[in-house]
Amino acid sequence: YKGPFLFIDDYWTIKAKYDPEILLIRELIRKIAKETNMLLGEWEAFQLYLAVKKTSKIEGAIAEVGVYRGASAKLISEANKTHKKLHLFDTFEGLPELHQSDDPKQFHKGQFLASYDSVKDYLKAYPNIQLYKGLFPSTSEPIQNETFSFVHLDVDLYEATLASLQFFYPRLNKGGMLISHDYVWAPGVRRAFNEFFTDKPEPILEIDFLGSQCLIVKM
């Protein structure tokens, strides 16, 4: 693009010329952000919505680890037009102990504490949701035999990220996507991805325009 400086809303408007649904997605994101504390930026939320929508043709359930107050889970549910099962995992006690790979200036134990009952109530309109309380993957028994089309990670820390990758990667169907928040900014998340995918064929794609996400597509 060659022209004057653009504000973020200008990008939405330009993209909407090619896909009118984009402005509806933006309004949905802003509505959810007013309802509860959304830790994703607007552009990150948009990428999340699109990934869920684009993987609708892939077989398998959907999962999120790191639910917090349910904003991204609601966004995923709204994008989940085929009504796949959505499995949501969170400690609901905040972050666990940090690993040496994590930055204590960014994160601390107990951060991002949210109420299980409040989140359950917030998402009660979506009957396909299953909500699990506890440290993942100790809570994964009910989905041991599931396969997945889309997984969203927002766990901030090295050990939680690595454990989630170890669990979901072999259960992610071909063409399925996994998006993680904080890959760009959080050293523990970045290290976990870089280590895990060293011997895997999938490249790690940074989606870092105004955000901190990464994406892999299962080969």
Side-chain angles (χ1 to χ4, degrees):
Y1 176 79
K2 294 182 179 179
F5 179 80
L6 293 177
F7 293 97
I8 299 306
D9 273 359
D10 294 328
Y11 283 101
W12 289 104
T13 303
I14 291 169
K15 290 176 72 66
K17 291 180 180 179
Y18 305 98
D19 184 357
E21 185 190 9
I22 284 172
L23 293 183
L24 296 177
I25 299 171
R26 181 187 67 178
E27 293 312 305
L28 172 64
I29 292 168
R30 292 180 177 181
K31 177 178 179 292
I32 294 172
K34 289 178 180 179
E35 294 173 349
T36 189
N37 187 6
M38 179 183 283
L39 298 180
L40 299 174
E42 281 193 357
W43 212 254
E44 293 174 323
F46 178 64
Q47 297 290 353
L48 180 62
Y49 185 101
L50 286 186
V52 175
K53 180 181 176 182
K54 297 297 185 181
T55 52
S56 63
K57 64 181 180 180
I58 306 297
E59 292 293 325
I62 300 171
E64 178 178 63
V65 186
V67 178
Y68 189 39
R69 296 184 180 176
S72 54
K74 181 168 183 175
L75 184 63
I76 290 169
S77 296
E78 289 291 331
N80 180 23
K81 305 300 185 183
T82 53
H83 307 293
K84 296 178 179 181
K85 292 180 184 177
L86 173 53
H87 300 279
L88 302 173
F89 299 86
D90 199 287
T91 66
F92 294 103
E93 295 180 352
L95 295 179
E97 293 284 355
L98 274 61
H99 182 268
Q100 62 183 9
S101 299
D102 302 312
D103 185 354
K105 294 180 181 179
Q106 289 179 298
F107 306 111
H108 59 82
K109 183 179 179 181
Q111 190 176 2
F112 305 125
L113 174 67
S115 163
Y116 173 90
D117 290 334
S118 294
V119 173
K120 185 176 181 179
D121 183 67
Y122 179 61
L123 300 173
K124 64 185 178 183
Y126 305 99
N128 56 320
I129 281 178
Q130 293 291 324
L131 192 61
Y132 307 89
K133 180 178 180 179
L135 184 62
F136 190 85
S138 64
T139 51
S140 67
E141 180 61 31
I143 62 167
Q144 288 287 334
N145 297 320
E146 288 266 21
T147 61
F148 296 87
S149 61
F150 179 76
V151 176
H152 181 229
L153 304 182
D154 194 356
V155 294
D156 305 310
L157 305 180
Y158 171 79
E159 290 182 318
T161 301
L162 186 59
S164 297
L165 292 174
Q166 290 169 340
F167 182 88
F168 285 110
Y169 179 81
R171 294 172 172 82
L172 195 62
N173 287 325
K174 184 178 180 180
M177 295 184 189
L178 184 149
I179 284 182
S180 177
H181 197 224
D182 295 311
Y183 176 79
V184 175
W185 310 121
V189 174
R190 192 177 190 91
R191 177 181 172 184
F193 265 86
N194 291 349
E195 288 181 356
F196 184 81
F197 283 98
T198 296
D199 61 350
K200 308 293 188 300
E202 293 83 7
I204 302 169
L205 307 175
E206 293 189 21
I207 318 173
D208 63 349
F209 174 67
L210 300 178
S212 183
Q213 296 163 308
C214 72
L215 163 72
I216 69 104
V217 181
K218 185 69 176 290
M219 293 183 178

